[in-house]
């Protein structure tokens, strides 16, 4: 049971690592078109937006469709604040896309990815100790720590994707 439990714990970090790795490898093949903000860039932004919309659609409060239009205030919208793996992936993809476009020297990009991965991981205990809800709106604060029962806040989970992107830059 302990071995199975350990292996089950590797699924999410492995998935995120591979997601970052594949994103950088695929983005590197069409790097110049991404930097020109051409069709490839627009397709990539649409994909990220689609994943983000699906993530939020999966968190809609359970209710008949008519209730969303007749009395939306009666629904419990707090479930929309929770950040899951799709939210984390889409926001980290945006960061990786911006990094590919803005950081031109390959060596600097590699250092940026490594530093970002380490920062997302190392800052996680501090971020989780903060109560961000008074200065930050709840939907934004949910991306940073687990105060709103987020399963995959950016700290530390985006660190796995950034580490995967760093390894892809070495590949």
């Amino acid at each position: 049971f302990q071995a199975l439990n350990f292996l089950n714990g590797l699924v999410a970090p492995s998935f995120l690592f591979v997601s970052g790795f594949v994103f950088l490898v695929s983005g590197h093949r069409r790097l110049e078109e991404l930097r020109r903000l051409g069709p490839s860039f627009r397709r990539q932004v649409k994909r990220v937006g689609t994943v983000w919309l699906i993530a939020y659609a999966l968190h809609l409060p359970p209710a008949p469709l008519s209730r969303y239009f007749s009395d939306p205030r009666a629904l419990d919208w707090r479930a929309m604040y929770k950040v899951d793996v799709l939210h984390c992936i889409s926001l980290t993809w945006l960061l990786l896309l911006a990094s590919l476009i803005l950081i031109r020297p390959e060596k600097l990009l590699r250092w940026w990815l490594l530093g970002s991965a380490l920062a997302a991981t190392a800052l996680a205990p501090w971020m989780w100790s903060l109560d961000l809800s008074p200065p930050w709106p709840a939907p934004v604060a949910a991306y940073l720590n687990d105060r709103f029962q987020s399963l995959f806040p950016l700290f530390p989970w985006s660190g796995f994707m950034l580490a995967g992107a760093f390894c892809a830059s070495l590949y």
Side-chain angles (χ1 to χ4, degrees), residues 94-149:
L94 282 179
L95 174 67
L96 288 172
L97 183 61
S99 300
L100 275 173
I101 291 169
L102 297 174
I103 303 173
R104 294 199 178 256
E106 191 68 33
K107 195 172 189 176
L108 182 60
L109 177 65
R110 192 171 293 135
W111 281 107
W112 164 254
L113 293 171
L114 177 62
S116 299
L118 292 174
T121 306
L123 292 175
W126 177 70
M127 288 300 291
W128 280 45
S129 70
L130 298 177
D131 185 11
L132 301 169
S133 54
W136 294 79
V140 175
Y143 276 90
L144 302 175
N145 61 30
D146 70 336
R147 298 287 171 147
F148 292 93
Q149 288 78 41

Side-chain angles (χ1 to χ4, degrees), residues 3-21:
L4 179 64
N5 207 17
F6 175 77
L7 289 175
N8 284 337
L10 295 176
V11 172
S14 302
F15 179 73
L16 290 168
F17 182 89
V18 169
S19 177
F21 190 98

Side-chain angles (χ1 to χ4, degrees), residues 23-100:
F23 186 88
L24 200 76
V25 167
S26 69
H28 229 289
R29 284 186 290 167
R30 52 189 192 278
L31 189 58
E32 287 311 311
E33 190 177 348
L34 287 173
R35 287 184 175 157
R36 284 190 314 253
L37 306 181
S40 195
F41 170 79
R42 289 189 292 278
R43 269 193 313 274
Q44 195 62 43
V45 170
K46 283 181 189 176
R47 283 184 193 131
V48 171
T50 301
V51 170
W52 216 336
L53 285 175
I54 290 170
Y56 278 110
L58 290 172
H59 284 266
L60 285 171
L65 188 59
S66 62
R67 195 150 167 222
Y68 286 102
F69 301 107
S70 64
D71 192 14
R73 291 180 307 237
L75 299 172
D76 186 11
W77 292 96
R78 288 177 295 185
M80 295 291 287
Y81 298 164
K82 294 180 182 179
V83 175
D84 68 13
V85 71
L86 294 177
H87 296 94
C88 182
I89 286 173
S90 58
L91 196 60
T92 309
W93 275 348
L94 282 179
L95 174 67
L96 288 172
L97 183 61
S99 300
L100 275 173

